[in-house]
PDB file of all heavy atoms in Angstrom:
ATOM      1  N   GLU A 265      21.639  42.586 -22.523  1.00  0.00           N
ATOM      2  CA  GLU A 265      22.339  43.731 -21.916  1.00  0.00           C
ATOM      3  C   GLU A 265      21.654  44.190 -20.633  1.00  0.00           C
ATOM      4  O   GLU A 265      22.287  44.692 -19.728  1.00  0.00           O
ATOM      5  CB  GLU A 265      22.333  44.906 -22.894  1.00  0.00           C
ATOM      6  CG  GLU A 265      23.413  44.796 -23.927  1.00  0.00           C
ATOM      7  CD  GLU A 265      23.421  45.975 -24.875  1.00  0.00           C
ATOM      8  OE1 GLU A 265      22.768  46.984 -24.585  1.00  0.00           O
ATOM      9  OE2 GLU A 265      24.086  45.845 -25.916  1.00  0.00           O
ATOM     10  N   ARG A 266      20.332  44.023 -20.591  1.00  0.00           N
ATOM     11  CA  ARG A 266      19.595  44.476 -19.408  1.00  0.00           C
ATOM     12  C   ARG A 266      20.039  43.688 -18.175  1.00  0.00           C
ATOM     13  O   ARG A 266      20.215  44.257 -17.098  1.00  0.00           O
ATOM     14  CB  ARG A 266      18.081  44.307 -19.630  1.00  0.00           C
ATOM     15  CG  ARG A 266      17.569  45.140 -20.780  1.00  0.00           C
ATOM     16  CD  ARG A 266      16.080  45.092 -20.897  1.00  0.00           C
ATOM     17  NE  ARG A 266      15.569  43.755 -21.212  1.00  0.00           N
ATOM     18  CZ  ARG A 266      14.322  43.495 -21.544  1.00  0.00           C
ATOM     19  NH1 ARG A 266      13.435  44.461 -21.581  1.00  0.00           N
ATOM     20  NH2 ARG A 266      13.924  42.279 -21.824  1.00  0.00           N
ATOM     21  N   LEU A 267      20.247  42.378 -18.356  1.00  0.00           N
ATOM     22  CA  LEU A 267      20.672  41.544 -17.229  1.00  0.00           C
ATOM     23  C   LEU A 267      22.049  41.993 -16.726  1.00  0.00           C
ATOM     24  O   LEU A 267      22.298  42.063 -15.526  1.00  0.00           O
ATOM     25  CB  LEU A 267      20.694  40.072 -17.651  1.00  0.00           C
ATOM     26  CG  LEU A 267      21.122  39.073 -16.580  1.00  0.00           C
ATOM     27  CD1 LEU A 267      20.145  39.049 -15.409  1.00  0.00           C
ATOM     28  CD2 LEU A 267      21.244  37.657 -17.150  1.00  0.00           C
ATOM     29  N   THR A 268      22.941  42.322 -17.668  1.00  0.00           N
ATOM     30  CA  THR A 268      24.285  42.791 -17.296  1.00  0.00           C
ATOM     31  C   THR A 268      24.158  44.083 -16.479  1.00  0.00           C
ATOM     32  O   THR A 268      24.862  44.257 -15.472  1.00  0.00           O
ATOM     33  CB  THR A 268      25.108  43.069 -18.579  1.00  0.00           C
ATOM     34  OG1 THR A 268      24.869  42.001 -19.487  1.00  0.00           O
ATOM     35  CG2 THR A 268      26.575  43.197 -18.307  1.00  0.00           C
ATOM     36  N   LYS A 269      23.266  44.973 -16.898  1.00  0.00           N
ATOM     37  CA  LYS A 269      23.098  46.247 -16.187  1.00  0.00           C
ATOM     38  C   LYS A 269      22.472  46.032 -14.801  1.00  0.00           C
ATOM     39  O   LYS A 269      22.859  46.693 -13.843  1.00  0.00           O
ATOM     40  CB  LYS A 269      22.239  47.209 -17.025  1.00  0.00           C
ATOM     41  CG  LYS A 269      23.014  47.728 -18.233  1.00  0.00           C
ATOM     42  CD  LYS A 269      22.199  48.689 -19.045  1.00  0.00           C
ATOM     43  CE  LYS A 269      22.997  49.139 -20.272  1.00  0.00           C
ATOM     44  NZ  LYS A 269      22.145  49.670 -21.314  1.00  0.00           N
ATOM     45  N   ILE A 270      21.511  45.106 -14.721  1.00  0.00           N
ATOM     46  CA  ILE A 270      20.894  44.812 -13.424  1.00  0.00           C
ATOM     47  C   ILE A 270      21.964  44.268 -12.475  1.00  0.00           C
ATOM     48  O   ILE A 270      22.066  44.682 -11.324  1.00  0.00           O
ATOM     49  CB  ILE A 270      19.726  43.795 -13.577  1.00  0.00           C
ATOM     50  CG1 ILE A 270      18.567  44.435 -14.338  1.00  0.00           C
ATOM     51  CG2 ILE A 270      19.271  43.264 -12.223  1.00  0.00           C
ATOM     52  CD1 ILE A 270      17.472  43.466 -14.776  1.00  0.00           C
ATOM     53  N   ALA A 271      22.788  43.345 -13.006  1.00  0.00           N
ATOM     54  CA  ALA A 271      23.840  42.742 -12.181  1.00  0.00           C
ATOM     55  C   ALA A 271      24.823  43.798 -11.698  1.00  0.00           C
ATOM     56  O   ALA A 271      25.351  43.715 -10.581  1.00  0.00           O
ATOM     57  CB  ALA A 271      24.558  41.664 -12.978  1.00  0.00           C
ATOM     58  N   ALA A 272      25.042  44.845 -12.500  1.00  0.00           N
ATOM     59  CA  ALA A 272      25.999  45.899 -12.118  1.00  0.00           C
ATOM     60  C   ALA A 272      25.515  46.686 -10.892  1.00  0.00           C
ATOM     61  O   ALA A 272      26.331  47.242 -10.158  1.00  0.00           O
ATOM     62  CB  ALA A 272      26.232  46.836 -13.299  1.00  0.00           C
ATOM     63  N   VAL A 273      24.203  46.732 -10.642  1.00  0.00           N
ATOM     64  CA  VAL A 273      23.749  47.432  -9.425  1.00  0.00           C
ATOM     65  C   VAL A 273      23.470  46.469  -8.268  1.00  0.00           C
ATOM     66  O   VAL A 273      23.553  46.854  -7.114  1.00  0.00           O
ATOM     67  CB  VAL A 273      22.502  48.343  -9.660  1.00  0.00           C
ATOM     68  CG1 VAL A 273      22.773  49.411 -10.675  1.00  0.00           C
ATOM     69  CG2 VAL A 273      21.269  47.558 -10.028  1.00  0.00           C
ATOM     70  N   ILE A 274      23.162  45.201  -8.587  1.00  0.00           N
ATOM     71  CA  ILE A 274      22.825  44.236  -7.523  1.00  0.00           C
ATOM     72  C   ILE A 274      24.073  43.541  -6.968  1.00  0.00           C
ATOM     73  O   ILE A 274      24.106  43.137  -5.825  1.00  0.00           O
ATOM     74  CB  ILE A 274      21.798  43.181  -8.076  1.00  0.00           C
ATOM     75  CG1 ILE A 274      20.486  43.855  -8.484  1.00  0.00           C
ATOM     76  CG2 ILE A 274      21.555  42.031  -7.130  1.00  0.00           C
ATOM     77  CD1 ILE A 274      19.605  44.302  -7.328  1.00  0.00           C
ATOM     78  N   ILE A 521       9.405  46.030 -10.102  1.00  0.00           N
ATOM     79  CA  ILE A 521       9.972  47.310 -10.557  1.00  0.00           C
ATOM     80  C   ILE A 521      10.475  47.128 -11.984  1.00  0.00           C
ATOM     81  O   ILE A 521      11.107  46.092 -12.296  1.00  0.00           O
ATOM     82  CB  ILE A 521      11.098  47.786  -9.600  1.00  0.00           C
ATOM     83  CG1 ILE A 521      11.680  49.119 -10.072  1.00  0.00           C
ATOM     84  CG2 ILE A 521      12.202  46.756  -9.438  1.00  0.00           C
ATOM     85  CD1 ILE A 521      12.602  49.799  -9.078  1.00  0.00           C
ATOM     86  N   PRO A 522      10.197  48.111 -12.888  1.00  0.00           N
ATOM     87  CA  PRO A 522      10.782  47.985 -14.234  1.00  0.00           C
ATOM     88  C   PRO A 522      12.313  48.094 -14.118  1.00  0.00           C
ATOM     89  O   PRO A 522      12.807  48.862 -13.295  1.00  0.00           O
ATOM     90  CB  PRO A 522      10.203  49.189 -14.978  1.00  0.00           C
ATOM     91  CG  PRO A 522       9.062  49.674 -14.155  1.00  0.00           C
ATOM     92  CD  PRO A 522       9.357  49.304 -12.749  1.00  0.00           C
ATOM     93  N   TRP A 523      13.019  47.332 -14.948  1.00  0.00           N
ATOM     94  CA  TRP A 523      14.480  47.245 -14.796  1.00  0.00           C
ATOM     95  C   TRP A 523      15.186  48.603 -14.840  1.00  0.00           C
ATOM     96  O   TRP A 523      16.111  48.849 -14.051  1.00  0.00           O
ATOM     97  CB  TRP A 523      15.061  46.272 -15.833  1.00  0.00           C
ATOM     98  CG  TRP A 523      15.089  46.842 -17.227  1.00  0.00           C
ATOM     99  CD1 TRP A 523      14.060  46.882 -18.103  1.00  0.00           C
ATOM    100  CD2 TRP A 523      16.193  47.478 -17.864  1.00  0.00           C
ATOM    101  NE1 TRP A 523      14.441  47.501 -19.254  1.00  0.00           N
ATOM    102  CE2 TRP A 523      15.749  47.877 -19.140  1.00  0.00           C
ATOM    103  CE3 TRP A 523      17.505  47.739 -17.493  1.00  0.00           C
ATOM    104  CZ2 TRP A 523      16.581  48.536 -20.045  1.00  0.00           C
ATOM    105  CZ3 TRP A 523      18.346  48.391 -18.392  1.00  0.00           C
ATOM    106  CH2 TRP A 523      17.875  48.787 -19.642  1.00  0.00           C
ATOM    107  N   GLN A 524      14.696  49.550 -15.706  1.00  0.00           N
ATOM    108  CA  GLN A 524      15.383  50.852 -15.817  1.00  0.00           C
ATOM    109  C   GLN A 524      15.302  51.623 -14.505  1.00  0.00           C
ATOM    110  O   GLN A 524      16.255  52.268 -14.102  1.00  0.00           O
ATOM    111  CB  GLN A 524      14.775  51.773 -16.891  1.00  0.00           C
ATOM    112  CG  GLN A 524      14.673  51.228 -18.275  1.00  0.00           C
ATOM    113  CD  GLN A 524      13.314  50.608 -18.537  1.00  0.00           C
ATOM    114  OE1 GLN A 524      12.758  49.932 -17.677  1.00  0.00           O
ATOM    115  NE2 GLN A 524      12.786  50.819 -19.737  1.00  0.00           N
ATOM    116  N   LYS A 525      14.138  51.509 -13.841  1.00  0.00           N
ATOM    117  CA  LYS A 525      13.938  52.224 -12.574  1.00  0.00           C
ATOM    118  C   LYS A 525      14.890  51.697 -11.505  1.00  0.00           C
ATOM    119  O   LYS A 525      15.400  52.461 -10.681  1.00  0.00           O
ATOM    120  CB  LYS A 525      12.473  52.076 -12.105  1.00  0.00           C
ATOM    121  CG  LYS A 525      11.476  52.771 -13.017  1.00  0.00           C
ATOM    122  CD  LYS A 525      10.640  53.775 -12.227  1.00  0.00           C
ATOM    123  CE  LYS A 525       9.882  54.716 -13.139  1.00  0.00           C
ATOM    124  NZ  LYS A 525       8.547  54.197 -13.467  1.00  0.00           N
ATOM    125  N   LEU A 526      15.111  50.370 -11.520  1.00  0.00           N
ATOM    126  CA  LEU A 526      16.027  49.779 -10.542  1.00  0.00           C
ATOM    127  C   LEU A 526      17.448  50.306 -10.771  1.00  0.00           C
ATOM    128  O   LEU A 526      18.164  50.645  -9.829  1.00  0.00           O
ATOM    129  CB  LEU A 526      15.986  48.247 -10.657  1.00  0.00           C
ATOM    130  CG  LEU A 526      16.957  47.476  -9.770  1.00  0.00           C
ATOM    131  CD1 LEU A 526      16.674  47.720  -8.285  1.00  0.00           C
ATOM    132  CD2 LEU A 526      16.884  45.979 -10.044  1.00  0.00           C
ATOM    133  N   ILE A 527      17.838  50.406 -12.045  1.00  0.00           N
ATOM    134  CA  ILE A 527      19.178  50.907 -12.388  1.00  0.00           C
ATOM    135  C   ILE A 527      19.302  52.371 -11.930  1.00  0.00           C
ATOM    136  O   ILE A 527      20.307  52.755 -11.323  1.00  0.00           O
ATOM    137  CB  ILE A 527      19.418  50.844 -13.932  1.00  0.00           C
ATOM    138  CG1 ILE A 527      19.088  49.481 -14.517  1.00  0.00           C
ATOM    139  CG2 ILE A 527      20.824  51.304 -14.317  1.00  0.00           C
ATOM    140  CD1 ILE A 527      19.974  48.366 -14.108  1.00  0.00           C
ATOM    141  N   GLU A 528      18.263  53.158 -12.224  1.00  0.00           N
ATOM    142  CA  GLU A 528      18.295  54.586 -11.839  1.00  0.00           C
ATOM    143  C   GLU A 528      18.416  54.746 -10.327  1.00  0.00           C
ATOM    144  O   GLU A 528      19.169  55.581  -9.837  1.00  0.00           O
ATOM    145  CB  GLU A 528      17.000  55.282 -12.289  1.00  0.00           C
ATOM    146  CG  GLU A 528      17.011  55.691 -13.764  1.00  0.00           C
ATOM    147  CD  GLU A 528      15.596  55.953 -14.286  1.00  0.00           C
ATOM    148  OE1 GLU A 528      14.732  56.372 -13.481  1.00  0.00           O
ATOM    149  OE2 GLU A 528      15.400  55.713 -15.482  1.00  0.00           O
ATOM    150  N   ALA A 529      17.671  53.895  -9.576  1.00  0.00           N
ATOM    151  CA  ALA A 529      17.704  53.996  -8.111  1.00  0.00           C
ATOM    152  C   ALA A 529      19.060  53.540  -7.569  1.00  0.00           C
ATOM    153  O   ALA A 529      19.521  54.038  -6.536  1.00  0.00           O
ATOM    154  CB  ALA A 529      16.583  53.157  -7.524  1.00  0.00           C
ATOM    155  N   GLY A 530      19.684  52.589  -8.235  1.00  0.00           N
ATOM    156  CA  GLY A 530      21.019  52.146  -7.825  1.00  0.00           C
ATOM    157  C   GLY A 530      21.025  50.940  -6.908  1.00  0.00           C
ATOM    158  O   GLY A 530      22.057  50.287  -6.773  1.00  0.00           O
ATOM    159  N   SER A 531      19.908  50.669  -6.228  1.00  0.00           N
ATOM    160  CA  SER A 531      19.829  49.450  -5.413  1.00  0.00           C
ATOM    161  C   SER A 531      18.367  49.155  -5.119  1.00  0.00           C
ATOM    162  O   SER A 531      17.506  50.034  -5.249  1.00  0.00           O
ATOM    163  CB  SER A 531      20.587  49.605  -4.092  1.00  0.00           C
ATOM    164  OG  SER A 531      19.840  50.405  -3.189  1.00  0.00           O
ATOM    165  N   TRP A 532      18.093  47.916  -4.698  1.00  0.00           N
ATOM    166  CA  TRP A 532      16.713  47.514  -4.404  1.00  0.00           C
ATOM    167  C   TRP A 532      16.185  48.331  -3.217  1.00  0.00           C
ATOM    168  O   TRP A 532      15.057  48.826  -3.232  1.00  0.00           O
ATOM    169  CB  TRP A 532      16.688  45.999  -4.103  1.00  0.00           C
ATOM    170  CG  TRP A 532      15.292  45.470  -3.964  1.00  0.00           C
ATOM    171  CD1 TRP A 532      14.566  45.403  -2.806  1.00  0.00           C
ATOM    172  CD2 TRP A 532      14.434  44.977  -4.999  1.00  0.00           C
ATOM    173  NE1 TRP A 532      13.313  44.884  -3.060  1.00  0.00           N
ATOM    174  CE2 TRP A 532      13.203  44.601  -4.397  1.00  0.00           C
ATOM    175  CE3 TRP A 532      14.583  44.801  -6.389  1.00  0.00           C
ATOM    176  CZ2 TRP A 532      12.147  44.080  -5.125  1.00  0.00           C
ATOM    177  CZ3 TRP A 532      13.519  44.274  -7.095  1.00  0.00           C
ATOM    178  CH2 TRP A 532      12.311  43.923  -6.481  1.00  0.00           C
ATOM    179  N   ALA A 535      15.416  51.851  -4.212  1.00  0.00           N
ATOM    180  CA  ALA A 535      14.214  51.872  -5.048  1.00  0.00           C
ATOM    181  C   ALA A 535      12.965  51.787  -4.179  1.00  0.00           C
ATOM    182  O   ALA A 535      11.971  52.458  -4.434  1.00  0.00           O
ATOM    183  CB  ALA A 535      14.264  50.715  -6.039  1.00  0.00           C
ATOM    184  N   LEU A 540       9.481  53.255  -5.708  1.00  0.00           N
ATOM    185  CA  LEU A 540       9.446  52.802  -7.111  1.00  0.00           C
ATOM    186  C   LEU A 540       9.042  51.333  -7.239  1.00  0.00           C
ATOM    187  O   LEU A 540       8.713  50.871  -8.325  1.00  0.00           O
ATOM    188  CB  LEU A 540      10.822  53.003  -7.760  1.00  0.00           C
ATOM    189  CG  LEU A 540      11.335  54.450  -7.809  1.00  0.00           C
ATOM    190  CD1 LEU A 540      12.781  54.490  -8.265  1.00  0.00           C
ATOM    191  CD2 LEU A 540      10.469  55.259  -8.759  1.00  0.00           C
ATOM    192  N   VAL A 555      11.447  43.466 -12.901  1.00  0.00           N
ATOM    193  CA  VAL A 555      12.240  42.728 -11.917  1.00  0.00           C
ATOM    194  C   VAL A 555      11.249  42.384 -10.808  1.00  0.00           C
ATOM    195  O   VAL A 555      10.570  43.271 -10.294  1.00  0.00           O
ATOM    196  CB  VAL A 555      13.410  43.579 -11.373  1.00  0.00           C
ATOM    197  CG1 VAL A 555      14.275  42.750 -10.433  1.00  0.00           C
ATOM    198  CG2 VAL A 555      14.243  44.133 -12.530  1.00  0.00           C
TER     199      VAL A 555
END
Side-chain angles (χ1 to χ4, degrees):
E265 278 181 14
R266 298 186 296 190
L267 180 64
T268 317
K269 288 181 182 160
I270 292 169
V273 300
I274 297 286
I521 180 169
W523 74 278
Q524 305 94 320
K525 293 236 166 91
L526 176 62
I527 310 293
E528 279 162 30
S531 76
W532 187 270
L540 299 171
V555 184

